[in-house]
Amino acid sequence: MQEKAYRSAVKTLSWRAVGTLDTMVISFLITGSLAMAASIGSIEVFTKMVLYYLHERAWTRVGIGLHRPTGDDYQI
């Protein structure tokens, strides 16, 4: 079982949207500045997107927790 690269890209974008929103909320709570929170969020959105994509692609090469069903597997 192997994921295609575009699946990792879509997962990267959706997760990054959630992560960036989280970073901006935390930044706002700490700094009290919406401009500073937006600035921090806009920088980290790109760096963490690249890091997540590379992390996700690396995990496609790791077999931990993957199971390839066989014809003998019982399914309901």
Side-chain angles (χ1 to χ4, degrees):
M1 183 177 313
Q2 188 176 16
E3 289 188 352
K4 302 276 185 180
Y6 73 87
R7 178 177 165 86
S8 294
V10 172
K11 287 169 66 176
T12 297
L13 292 173
S14 68
W15 177 246
R16 192 69 318 237
V18 171
T20 298
L21 181 60
D22 177 58
T23 297
M24 290 174 70
V25 168
I26 292 170
S27 298
F28 177 73
L29 293 174
I30 292 171
T31 66
S33 167
L34 190 55
M36 183 64 78
S39 177
I40 292 168
S42 66
I43 292 169
E44 68 88 44
V45 70
F46 296 107
T47 59
K48 288 187 179 174
M49 197 178 327
V50 170
L51 289 172
Y52 179 83
Y53 179 82
L54 295 173
H55 178 263
E56 185 70 17
R57 295 312 300 159
W59 268 97
T60 63
R61 299 172 189 265
V62 176
I64 298 171
L66 293 179
H67 172 72
R68 186 176 307 272
T70 64
D72 298 339
D73 286 349
Y74 177 76
Q75 295 181 7
I76 295 178

